[in-house]
Amino acid sequence: MLGTITASDFQPLQGQVCVFETMAPTLSVRLTVEQVTSRPDCQVPGTDAAREPFGVLLSGQQDEFDFTSATGVLRLGDGATMEGVYINRVLPPIGGDPRPWYQLVFN
């Protein structure tokens, strides 16, 4: 399923809350889909990949546990579930927002 996801699948989810979960160690955090960015400049030269690379910026809740990176299940606001998702923490956008920020990268 991860190989078929596109930026347009995430566009309608902007502003919605999803839940990221791992099994070991047990982790469950609520994340808001903040931004979806197409990255055609990240396409590997010479490949016939049909999907354009893109990134998803997510924000965590200020009062929840934060983490550096993990692989797990992403339960989207529309009821869909994505397994095997790798997520990593990133610096907050300009403005010093104290919430934890994360990204998903699809290429």
Side-chain angles (χ1 to χ4, degrees):
M1 176 178 180
L2 290 179
T4 62
I5 299 293
T6 64
S8 62
D9 294 321
F10 272 96
Q11 292 291 346
L13 300 174
Q14 288 187 92
Q16 293 189 21
V17 174
C18 56
V19 176
F20 180 75
E21 300 174 336
T22 64
M23 297 302 273
T26 303
L27 172 69
S28 180
V29 294
R30 293 169 12 117
L31 302 170
T32 302
V33 178
E34 297 288 348
Q35 184 178 37
V36 181
T37 307
S38 293
R39 296 296 310 265
D41 56 319
C42 293
Q43 188 80 36
V44 177
T47 63
D48 295 334
R51 176 174 65 192
E52 183 175 87
F54 68 99
V56 180
L57 183 65
L58 305 118
S59 65
Q61 309 301 314
Q62 191 169 355
D63 57 344
E64 283 191 331
F65 176 78
D66 58 339
F67 58 97
T68 304
S69 64
T71 300
V73 175
L74 186 64
R75 300 185 191 287
L76 302 173
D78 65 358
T81 300
M82 296 172 53
E83 296 184 19
V85 173
Y86 176 77
I87 187 170
N88 63 302
R89 185 141 184 204
V90 295
L91 293 173
I94 295 174
D97 191 323
R99 295 177 292 169
W101 290 82
Y102 303 93
Q103 73 175 353
L104 302 174
V105 177
F106 295 87
N107 56 13

